[in-house]
Amino acid sequence: MSSLKVYNSIKRQKEEFIPIYPGHVGMYVCGPTVSGESHLGHARPYITFDVLFRYLTYLGYKVRYVRNITDAGHFEEEGRDAVDKIAKGALLEKLEPMELVQKYTNLFHWAMLRFNNLEPSIEPTATGHIIEQIEMIKKILEAGYAYEVNGSVYFDVKKYAGNHHYGILSGRVLEDMLETTRELENQDEKHNKVDFALWKAAPPEHIQRWPSPWGDGFPGWHIECSAMSRKYLGTQFDIHGGGMDLQFPHHECEIAQSEIAGGELMARYWMHNNMITINGRKMGKSYNNTITLRELFNGTAKELTQAYSPMTVRFFILQTHYRSTLDFSNEALQAAEKGLARLLAANELLQAMPYVQGEGTFNEELDKQVRTWCAEIPGFMNDDMNTAKVMANLFELTPVINSLKSGQIKMAEISEETFTILKNTWKVYLVDILGIVGERQADDSKLDDVLQLLMNMRKEAKARKDYATSDKIRNQLLEMGIQLKDEKDGSMTYSIV
């Protein structure tokens, strides 16, 4: 198998990738917290690790790719008043927690399919693995690295740091953290401000709750990923991935609790994609510049001047190395839109083009150059997935393809073997590995007929006051990216979102 090197965040250097079990790769990537709509920040890690999944598979590995769904327990550390993000979202939207979870899980899946992301091998949910989390917490308690207070269980970070390397991934120093960690209300039940919750006691009004040896409660955020990765990949596996924002506290806490429960470092290679900025500013709710994926696709966000297709976004993300900061702007996305069109058009021409030698004289220099550009691409992928350089070489080859089609370059100027290499390189790297494909065009007339039928069914349901069916039609169409609108005159219209 090819010699792939990846940047290992825990070692802070590139290393040759050698899996624990030859021919097999276990990879875990932290999935979304489905308390709200997926946003632009979700696009980069899941496209990045989709490409890694594709490339490892292409290299011949049998990959088990596990990407979880956090549907309970994701909260910031706020003492006994910690608020579960799922429960909070459910209250705001007046939905049952699992209703909220299903709604946003469906929208997440819809967006991932539009990005042409492959489905993971296993997609476990936090609520489906409460037993595993409880068992893991028991092991940590038995080892003496956790303590129970008022029905909540906390990990003892200070004790762990006394015997292990806390900060091995993030580079944080515990003493500095103890001095700078802000005082939070109701922190008195923790031994130290930096301790994190493994299990939280549920107040009477908390809907999501499960029985445990410490009373009814819900899991902490960090324990979920440790328990699910361990169940499906073992106590140690090959790759743990996610965004750079997860290095601390999430991944650092995962490492600590998993080492105590399993006795070894949970993953050998830690890979992190860098952050996204929007017009040079960090993206976040505090900056009021978070763009949901639906807003991105339909152009309704205030930062956007137009809609951008999922494939334009995928192409734009892969034009930059995954460990570099990526700045979204209308100008950059519009340039990506044009670049994508060039590559797709060139690939379509190339794949339909037969090798017919015809007139012309063999051009040794051109033939060698085409082979060189193609031969460099595997090396770029093996150098920590440098998709930016892969794209650059494809752009170098684009004028050659266009000239072969127009006749400016005669087919006889390159050998049939070189032409086959060119054709295969584009198919394998552009389509199979980078996942760049043409946007699927719907047959508008058929779509109109089907939607008119569904709108008529919804109108009939409303007329007989069957609001459950009416809402179901509207909501399920919305999950597929089609928004219905009731007009004042009683008619109904739709728009693609």
Side-chain angles (χ1 to χ4, degrees):
M1 292 181 184
S2 298
S3 180
L4 170 65
K5 287 188 176 180
V6 299
Y7 185 86
N8 192 352
S9 301
I10 208 162
K11 299 287 186 64
R12 294 166 180 77
Q13 64 184 20
K14 289 182 190 176
E15 294 184 327
E16 182 180 359
F17 175 69
I18 302 172
I20 298 168
Y21 302 104
H24 295 260
V25 176
M27 179 169 75
Y28 186 90
V29 175
C30 293
T33 298
V34 285
S35 57
E37 277 203 61
S38 297
H39 53 72
L40 185 52
H42 291 122
R44 194 172 196 188
Y46 304 129
I47 288 172
T48 296
F49 289 101
D50 176 67
V51 171
L52 180 58
F53 181 30
R54 287 168 177 269
Y55 190 56
L56 288 168
T57 303
Y58 168 73
L59 292 178
Y61 292 108
K62 182 174 175 56
V63 185
R64 176 175 287 180
Y65 173 21
V66 182
R67 185 187 69 202
N68 76 297
I69 294 288
T70 295
D71 57 353
H74 184 173
F75 56 84
E76 307 300 334
E77 291 293 334
E78 297 176 359
R80 280 185 58 80
D81 289 344
V83 178
D84 183 330
K85 289 186 177 181
I86 303 294
K88 182 179 179 181
L91 285 170
L92 289 172
E93 296 199 30
K94 295 183 172 60
L95 296 172
E96 284 288 333
M98 284 298 103
E99 200 174 1
L100 180 94
V101 162
Q102 192 64 54
K103 173 183 174 180
Y104 291 121
T105 299
N106 289 345
L107 279 171
F108 171 72
H109 288 154
W110 167 78
M112 294 303 104
L113 285 173
R114 296 198 71 190
F115 281 135
N116 194 33
N117 283 350
L118 301 177
E119 293 180 348
S121 314
I122 302 173
E123 192 176 55
T125 64
T127 56
H129 296 77
I130 298 296
I131 292 172
E132 289 83 357
Q133 292 168 72
I134 289 173
E135 290 303 311
M136 198 166 192
I137 294 168
K138 284 181 183 178
K139 288 181 182 294
I140 298 168
L141 278 165
E142 288 166 8
Y145 284 87
Y147 55 91
E148 185 263 330
V149 182
N150 300 323
S152 293
V153 181
Y154 296 98
F155 188 87
D156 193 331
V157 172
K158 195 171 182 180
K159 180 173 182 179
Y160 174 83
N163 301 305
H164 305 270
H165 187 175
Y166 188 73
I168 188 172
L169 178 65
S170 63
R172 306 247 179 159
V173 178
L174 181 61
E175 288 72 21
D176 295 342
M177 291 166 58
L178 286 168
E179 290 176 11
T180 58
T181 301
R182 64 192 176 98
E183 290 288 350
L184 294 171
E185 191 178 351
N186 294 323
Q187 284 275 31
D188 54 322
E189 67 181 25
K190 290 186 182 183
H191 291 178
N192 299 286
K193 291 182 287 185
V194 292
D195 294 349
F196 58 90
L198 299 171
W199 186 264
K200 287 296 296 181
E205 68 278 8
H206 198 89
I207 302 171
Q208 282 192 300
R209 57 201 300 128
W210 292 267
S212 80
W214 318 287
D216 282 4
F218 54 98
W221 173 28
H222 314 307
I223 196 68
E224 298 173 354
C225 286
S226 287
M228 288 184 280
S229 63
R230 182 176 181 176
K231 180 177 177 69
Y232 297 108
L233 299 173
T235 55
Q236 187 180 64
F237 52 92
D238 298 301
I239 298 170
H240 195 312
M244 197 173 284
D245 57 322
L246 296 180
Q247 280 191 346
F248 187 88
H250 187 47
H251 290 168
E252 197 73 72
C253 294
E254 276 191 75
I255 288 171
Q257 64 198 12
S258 295
E259 186 177 0
I260 296 303
E264 55 189 335
L265 183 66
M266 66 185 295
R268 293 174 66 177
Y269 301 89
W270 291 76
M271 297 178 66
H272 295 91
N273 63 274
N274 211 323
M275 296 296 94
I276 285 175
T277 57
I278 298 177
N279 297 315
R281 296 188 69 192
K282 182 180 178 181
M283 187 183 74
K285 290 180 180 178
S286 58
Y287 297 102
N288 194 31
N289 65 350
T290 301
I291 301 175
T292 70
L293 295 180
R294 281 199 296 172
E295 288 174 333
L296 187 62
F297 299 159
N298 63 27
T300 56
K302 65 181 185 300
E303 293 84 1
L304 304 176
T305 57
Q306 65 175 75
Y308 296 100
S309 73
M311 205 49 55
T312 297
V313 177
R314 184 182 184 97
F315 171 84
F316 178 65
I317 286 171
L318 296 179
Q319 269 195 304
T320 302
H321 190 271
Y322 76 93
R323 287 192 291 111
S324 299
T325 304
L326 182 63
D327 187 53
F328 269 70
S329 68
N330 282 285
E331 295 75 20
L333 284 165
Q334 286 161 9
E337 196 170 53
K338 292 175 183 176
L340 171 65
R342 284 184 64 206
L343 285 192
L344 288 175
N347 188 54
E348 190 174 345
L349 288 176
L350 180 61
Q351 300 308 325
M353 199 184 302
Y355 183 83
V356 181
Q357 190 169 23
E359 299 177 355
T361 305
F362 180 68
N363 185 333
E364 185 176 352
E365 186 178 346
L366 175 64
D367 189 86
K368 183 179 179 181
Q369 183 63 77
V370 169
R371 282 186 180 236
T372 298
W373 280 326
C374 291
E376 286 174 341
I377 288 176
F380 296 150
M381 282 302 296
N382 281 336
D383 184 17
D384 193 31
M385 286 212 313
N386 199 328
T387 59
K389 287 189 175 181
V390 173
M391 291 281 200
N393 273 32
L394 293 177
F395 276 115
E396 294 282 9
L397 289 161
T398 297
V400 176
I401 295 167
N402 291 334
S403 296
L404 282 169
K405 178 63 179 177
S406 68
Q408 287 179 285
I409 295 176
K410 304 299 181 185
M411 192 68 78
E413 292 185 55
I414 62 173
S415 70
E416 185 172 3
E417 184 181 1
T418 298
F419 181 76
T420 301
I421 290 170
L422 174 64
K423 205 168 193 175
N424 289 343
T425 298
W426 275 67
K427 167 67 171 64
V428 168
Y429 286 91
L430 182 70
V431 178
D432 297 343
I433 294 171
L434 298 186
I436 301 291
V437 295
E439 302 288 347
R440 285 175 291 183
Q441 301 298 318
D443 182 331
D444 290 339
S445 61
K446 289 183 180 178
L447 179 62
D448 279 337
D449 290 343
V450 171
L451 285 171
Q452 193 58 55
L453 175 64
L454 287 168
M455 287 190 290
N456 288 340
M457 290 172 64
R458 183 167 179 260
K459 193 178 293 185
E460 290 169 5
K462 288 181 74 175
R464 63 176 183 267
K465 297 185 178 181
D466 181 3
Y467 298 116
T469 299
S470 169
D471 290 347
K472 185 176 182 181
I473 292 171
R474 181 196 62 205
N475 293 340
Q476 290 192 351
L477 283 173
L478 185 58
E479 287 163 8
M480 291 184 278
I482 299 167
Q483 187 169 46
L484 298 184
K485 184 180 179 183
D486 295 309
E487 303 294 351
K488 290 180 180 179
D489 62 1
S491 65
M492 213 175 293
T493 58
Y494 74 88
S495 58
I496 306 297
V497 297

